[in-house]
Amino acid sequence: MSILERTRGGLRAHPLALDAVLAAGVLISMVAGSFVDPRAEAGPTWGVRTPSALGLTLMALSAAALVLRRQRPMAVLAVTTAFSLVDLVTADPRTPVTMSAVVALYTVAATTDRPTTWRVGILTMTVLTGTAMLVGPLPWYTQENLGLFAWTGMAAAVGDAVRSRRAFVDAIRERAERAERTREEEARRRVAEERLRIARDLHDVVAHHIALVNVQAGVVAHVMDKRPDQAKEALAHVREASRTALDELRATVGLLRQSGDPEAPTEPAPGLARLDELADTFRNAGLPVEIARADHGTTLPSALDLAAYRVIQEALTNVRKHAGQEARAEVSVVRVGTNMEITVLDDGPGDDADSKDTSGHGGHGLLGMRERVTAVGGALTAGPRFGGGFRVHAILPLTNHATTTAGGTA
């Protein structure tokens, strides 16, 4: 960083020091200008006149007032205008004290609003120019008087333009910052939604398959000594459930890989096409499951298809875990107008009082089902049935992309 840049940065950090430097520069310019005769026969001539003591005093006082131009812009403008009026009326030869009033007027225009700039600017121009024309020692039509009118008007216009530009830049900066905050909030929201979705998937996979493994392991322990063939069959089911759980976990965890990592082996997301396969896993675990479908061959979009599958999977898992050993389950998939309705019923008495609470069969299962259904615009209700058992009912709205197997639009 150069010395000039360091100096500029230091002055910006200390505005009072910057104003003091500006005041010194204005004073030097006024003093230098007071030695020039603009009305010489050969044009403006340097060193042909000497400012009076009063003129030097007015220039020093008006320049000193500029040090406070940021803190008290109106007061500084009033003071410098008063000094300029004294110079215009009494000084002969006239000194450029009005230069300080021009700087003060610029400051007022740059730090206030436009109506204030118009009022103060017109008043300052009128007072200074009118006094110079009517009371000053020079003829009213002299170019110095006209120049005074032009400089004061220019100061007000430039100050207003600078204020407008600063307001425009601040507005752009604020919009950029707001957009950045919005992007960050949107990114955090998307991350939270993705974490919630992955958590639901992991819960569905783990809860379903581990529940089946637990049941089959209990069967193995019960029949190991007396019926080894049945124990081997149960162990085969344990192995199959474990393999399926690992495959689904691998597919889910594969989503968390970085873009540069090798792609994880995945399979299509499960849907209602695998409903019979899902029911068989529960039947093998000792839960009788009946399937009834009246969906008229409707092919659901992937999001709805996965939501329907997971709702049935979680509901049957809860039946197997909480409804008791003698429970039976019924699953119905029915299309009603523009909705697909999923119903899972059981007739079990339950193994504890909490299992029939409408808040769910324990854990986060029912909460996850509600979140899935709500995410696709549907609704889910769950609660005890009259006379015993539990009922889970989900309504999934079909989108315009749902088609039948015949190829028609749903």
Side-chain angles (χ1 to χ4, degrees):
M1 183 181 294
S2 65
I3 298 178
L4 179 60
E5 291 177 347
R6 287 198 299 267
T7 303
R8 185 181 302 171
L11 290 176
R12 288 177 179 175
H14 301 85
L16 192 63
L18 178 60
D19 289 338
V21 172
L22 174 64
V26 171
L27 177 60
I28 294 174
S29 300
M30 288 190 296
V31 172
S34 64
F35 285 91
V36 177
D37 184 5
R39 293 177 286 109
E41 294 181 359
T45 306
W46 168 264
V48 298
R49 67 175 184 174
T50 302
S52 63
L54 177 60
L56 291 174
T57 302
L58 292 174
M59 287 187 289
L61 293 176
S62 61
L66 293 179
V67 178
L68 301 176
R69 70 186 185 96
R70 295 178 193 264
Q71 289 79 8
R72 302 288 182 84
M74 287 293 188
V76 170
L77 176 60
V79 170
T80 53
T81 301
F83 290 150
S84 300
L85 292 175
V86 173
D87 179 75
L88 291 174
V89 173
T90 62
D92 189 18
R94 183 188 297 176
T95 54
V97 180
T98 52
M99 185 182 296
S100 60
V102 169
V103 175
L105 179 58
Y106 162 83
T107 304
V108 171
T111 56
T112 59
D113 52 46
R114 181 161 295 170
T116 302
T117 299
W118 275 94
R119 291 193 297 267
V120 174
I122 292 176
L123 178 62
T124 304
M125 287 191 305
T126 302
V127 170
L128 291 179
T129 307
T131 301
M133 289 182 174
L134 299 177
V135 184
L138 301 177
W140 68 270
Y141 53 82
T142 184
Q143 67 178 16
E144 293 184 27
N145 295 338
L146 298 178
L148 182 61
F149 178 83
W151 277 106
T152 51
M154 188 182 302
V158 172
D160 182 71
V162 170
R163 179 196 54 77
S164 299
R165 181 181 179 279
R166 287 175 182 170
F168 178 72
V169 171
D170 291 341
I172 293 178
R173 184 180 296 110
E174 184 196 0
R175 285 197 295 269
E177 293 174 353
R178 188 186 306 117
E180 183 66 24
R181 289 194 300 268
T182 302
R183 284 194 296 269
E184 292 176 356
E185 292 172 359
E186 178 67 14
R188 286 194 294 268
R189 185 186 64 80
R190 289 181 179 273
V191 168
E193 289 180 352
E194 185 66 12
R195 291 176 60 185
L196 182 60
R197 187 190 66 80
I198 294 175
R200 284 198 303 262
D201 286 340
L202 290 176
H203 172 272
D204 291 342
V205 172
V206 172
H208 166 61
H209 293 291
I210 296 302
L212 296 182
V213 169
N214 179 63
V215 171
Q216 297 292 350
V219 173
V220 172
H222 184 67
V223 302
M224 176 67 74
D225 297 330
K226 297 180 179 179
R227 286 175 285 180
D229 293 338
Q230 187 175 352
K232 290 181 180 179
E233 182 180 354
L235 286 175
H237 292 317
V238 169
R239 180 179 181 183
E240 179 65 19
S242 302
R243 184 191 63 79
T244 305
L246 288 174
D247 289 343
E248 293 195 28
L249 283 173
R250 187 179 298 113
T252 302
V253 175
L255 298 175
L256 304 178
R257 287 181 175 270
Q258 300 295 328
S259 59
D261 293 342
E263 293 186 1
T266 61
E267 59 181 9
L272 293 180
R274 297 176 54 183
L275 182 56
D276 291 334
E277 178 185 342
L278 175 65
D280 287 338
T281 62
F282 285 99
R283 294 185 185 112
N284 293 332
L287 174 65
V289 179
E290 295 182 6
I291 304 294
R293 299 188 65 167
D295 50 352
H296 309 298
T298 301
T299 301
L300 297 179
S302 58
L304 264 67
D305 204 18
L306 177 60
Y309 180 89
R310 292 303 190 194
V311 166
I312 297 173
Q313 181 186 53
E314 180 60 30
L316 291 177
T317 300
N318 286 338
V319 172
R320 190 66 191 87
K321 290 168 61 178
H322 302 289
Q325 296 296 324
E326 304 301 326
R328 301 173 62 86
E330 299 177 5
V331 178
S332 66
V333 180
V334 180
R335 177 172 177 175
V336 181
T338 58
N339 295 327
M340 187 70 74
E341 298 191 9
I342 309 294
T343 306
V344 180
L345 306 174
D346 72 77
D347 58 0
D351 54 10
D352 55 62
D354 294 337
S355 67
K356 297 302 180 187
D357 192 339
T358 57
S359 63
H361 284 317
H364 299 279
L366 188 54
L367 176 62
M369 283 192 285
R370 282 203 177 96
E371 290 173 346
R372 282 189 181 278
V373 173
T374 303
V376 295
L380 182 137
T381 58
R385 299 171 61 195
F386 179 76
F390 203 82
R391 176 179 182 270
V392 175
H393 180 67
I395 300 176
L396 305 176
L398 301 176
T399 66
N400 293 330
H401 301 288
T403 58
T404 64
T405 54
T409 300

Short mmCIF file of all heavy atoms in Angstrom, two decimals, residues 167-183:
data_model
loop_
_atom_site.label_atom_id
_atom_site.label_comp_id
_atom_site.label_asym_id
_atom_site.label_seq_id
_atom_site.Cartn_x
_atom_site.Cartn_y
_atom_site.Cartn_z
N ALA A 167 -27.29 7.91 -1.69
CA ALA A 167 -28.52 7.19 -1.34
C ALA A 167 -28.73 6.01 -2.28
O ALA A 167 -29.15 4.93 -1.85
CB ALA A 167 -29.71 8.14 -1.39
N PHE A 168 -28.44 6.20 -3.57
CA PHE A 168 -28.60 5.12 -4.53
C PHE A 168 -27.63 3.97 -4.23
O PHE A 168 -28.01 2.80 -4.24
CB PHE A 168 -28.35 5.66 -5.94
CG PHE A 168 -28.43 4.62 -7.02
CD1 PHE A 168 -29.65 4.07 -7.38
CD2 PHE A 168 -27.28 4.19 -7.67
CE1 PHE A 168 -29.72 3.11 -8.37
CE2 PHE A 168 -27.34 3.22 -8.65
CZ PHE A 168 -28.57 2.68 -9.01
N VAL A 169 -26.38 4.30 -3.95
CA VAL A 169 -25.39 3.27 -3.63
C VAL A 169 -25.77 2.54 -2.34
O VAL A 169 -25.65 1.31 -2.24
CB VAL A 169 -23.98 3.90 -3.52
CG1 VAL A 169 -22.98 2.89 -2.98
CG2 VAL A 169 -23.52 4.42 -4.87
N ASP A 170 -26.23 3.30 -1.33
CA ASP A 170 -26.65 2.66 -0.07
C ASP A 170 -27.83 1.72 -0.30
O ASP A 170 -27.91 0.64 0.30
CB ASP A 170 -27.02 3.73 0.96
CG ASP A 170 -25.81 4.51 1.44
OD1 ASP A 170 -24.69 4.01 1.26
OD2 ASP A 170 -26.00 5.63 1.98
N ALA A 171 -28.77 2.13 -1.16
CA ALA A 171 -29.92 1.27 -1.45
C ALA A 171 -29.47 -0.01 -2.14
O ALA A 171 -29.97 -1.10 -1.83
CB ALA A 171 -30.94 2.02 -2.31
N ILE A 172 -28.55 0.12 -3.10
CA ILE A 172 -28.04 -1.07 -3.78
C ILE A 172 -27.31 -1.98 -2.80
O ILE A 172 -27.48 -3.21 -2.82
CB ILE A 172 -27.10 -0.65 -4.94
CG1 ILE A 172 -27.89 0.05 -6.04
CG2 ILE A 172 -26.36 -1.86 -5.49
CD1 ILE A 172 -27.06 0.53 -7.18
N ARG A 173 -26.50 -1.37 -1.93
CA ARG A 173 -25.77 -2.18 -0.95
C ARG A 173 -26.74 -2.90 0.00
O ARG A 173 -26.55 -4.07 0.33
CB ARG A 173 -24.82 -1.29 -0.15
CG ARG A 173 -23.95 -2.07 0.84
CD ARG A 173 -23.03 -1.16 1.60
NE ARG A 173 -22.06 -0.51 0.72
CZ ARG A 173 -22.07 0.79 0.43
NH1 ARG A 173 -22.99 1.58 0.94
NH2 ARG A 173 -21.16 1.29 -0.37
N GLU A 174 -27.80 -2.18 0.42
CA GLU A 174 -28.77 -2.80 1.32
C GLU A 174 -29.50 -3.95 0.63
O GLU A 174 -29.71 -5.01 1.23
CB GLU A 174 -29.79 -1.76 1.78
CG GLU A 174 -30.78 -2.32 2.79
CD GLU A 174 -32.00 -1.46 2.96
OE1 GLU A 174 -32.10 -0.42 2.30
OE2 GLU A 174 -32.87 -1.87 3.73
N ARG A 175 -29.88 -3.75 -0.65
CA ARG A 175 -30.53 -4.84 -1.38
C ARG A 175 -29.60 -6.03 -1.54
O ARG A 175 -30.04 -7.18 -1.43
CB ARG A 175 -31.01 -4.34 -2.75
CG ARG A 175 -32.25 -3.47 -2.68
CD ARG A 175 -32.89 -3.36 -4.05
NE ARG A 175 -32.04 -2.67 -5.00
CZ ARG A 175 -32.06 -1.36 -5.22
NH1 ARG A 175 -32.88 -0.59 -4.53
NH2 ARG A 175 -31.26 -0.80 -6.11
N ALA A 176 -28.33 -5.76 -1.81
CA ALA A 176 -27.37 -6.86 -1.94
C ALA A 176 -27.22 -7.61 -0.63
O ALA A 176 -27.18 -8.85 -0.61
CB ALA A 176 -26.02 -6.32 -2.41
N GLU A 177 -27.13 -6.86 0.49
CA GLU A 177 -27.02 -7.52 1.78
C GLU A 177 -28.28 -8.32 2.11
O GLU A 177 -28.21 -9.43 2.65
CB GLU A 177 -26.75 -6.49 2.87
CG GLU A 177 -25.38 -5.82 2.75
CD GLU A 177 -25.20 -4.70 3.76
OE1 GLU A 177 -26.20 -4.37 4.45
OE2 GLU A 177 -24.08 -4.16 3.86
N ARG A 178 -29.46 -7.73 1.78
CA ARG A 178 -30.71 -8.45 2.04
C ARG A 178 -30.78 -9.71 1.19
O ARG A 178 -31.22 -10.77 1.66
CB ARG A 178 -31.90 -7.54 1.75
CG ARG A 178 -33.23 -8.16 2.19
CD ARG A 178 -34.41 -7.32 1.78
NE ARG A 178 -34.28 -5.94 2.23
CZ ARG A 178 -34.19 -4.90 1.42
NH1 ARG A 178 -34.22 -5.09 0.11
NH2 ARG A 178 -34.08 -3.69 1.89
N ALA A 179 -30.36 -9.60 -0.08
CA ALA A 179 -30.37 -10.78 -0.94
C ALA A 179 -29.41 -11.85 -0.43
O ALA A 179 -29.71 -13.04 -0.47
CB ALA A 179 -29.99 -10.38 -2.38
N GLU A 180 -28.25 -11.41 0.09
CA GLU A 180 -27.29 -12.37 0.63
C GLU A 180 -27.87 -13.06 1.86
O GLU A 180 -27.73 -14.28 2.01
CB GLU A 180 -25.99 -11.64 0.99
CG GLU A 180 -24.89 -12.55 1.50
CD GLU A 180 -24.40 -13.52 0.46
OE1 GLU A 180 -24.55 -13.23 -0.75
OE2 GLU A 180 -23.87 -14.58 0.83
N ARG A 181 -28.53 -12.26 2.74
CA ARG A 181 -29.16 -12.89 3.91
C ARG A 181 -30.25 -13.86 3.49
O ARG A 181 -30.40 -14.94 4.08
CB ARG A 181 -29.73 -11.81 4.83
CG ARG A 181 -28.69 -10.99 5.56
CD ARG A 181 -29.33 -10.19 6.67
NE ARG A 181 -30.35 -9.27 6.17
CZ ARG A 181 -30.11 -8.02 5.83
NH1 ARG A 181 -28.89 -7.53 5.90
NH2 ARG A 181 -31.09 -7.23 5.40
N THR A 182 -31.02 -13.47 2.46
CA THR A 182 -32.08 -14.36 1.99
C THR A 182 -31.50 -15.65 1.43
O THR A 182 -32.03 -16.75 1.68
CB THR A 182 -32.91 -13.65 0.91
OG1 THR A 182 -33.45 -12.44 1.45
CG2 THR A 182 -34.05 -14.54 0.44
N ARG A 183 -30.40 -15.54 0.68
CA ARG A 183 -29.75 -16.74 0.14
C ARG A 183 -29.24 -17.63 1.26
O ARG A 183 -29.37 -18.86 1.20
CB ARG A 183 -28.61 -16.36 -0.80
CG ARG A 183 -29.06 -15.88 -2.17
CD ARG A 183 -27.91 -15.85 -3.14
NE ARG A 183 -26.89 -14.90 -2.73
CZ ARG A 183 -26.87 -13.64 -3.13
NH1 ARG A 183 -27.81 -13.17 -3.91
NH2 ARG A 183 -25.91 -12.82 -2.74
#
